Amino acid sequence: MMYREGAYVIDPVFPATLGYAGAGVVVAVGDDAGEFQIGDKVSV
């Protein structure tokens, strides 16, 4: 939907492939993880 509206942060090159988005749950953190904690739901 963001592609169609021209609101995506990166101009897609068609045919676009998988890999532009992801989601999950944090299972480990390092010293520089900032505010993230194990169990947090995240998306990009």
Side-chain angles (χ1 to χ4, degrees):
M1 187 167 125
M2 291 176 71
Y3 282 159
R4 292 191 311 261
E5 293 177 351
Y8 201 71
V9 295
I10 300 170
D11 290 334
V13 177
F14 294 104
T17 60
L18 295 176
Y20 282 98
V25 177
V26 176
V27 296
V29 295
D31 293 336
D32 294 327
E35 63 190 60
F36 296 105
Q37 297 179 359
I38 294 174
D40 284 352
K41 294 177 184 175
V42 293
S43 68
V44 62

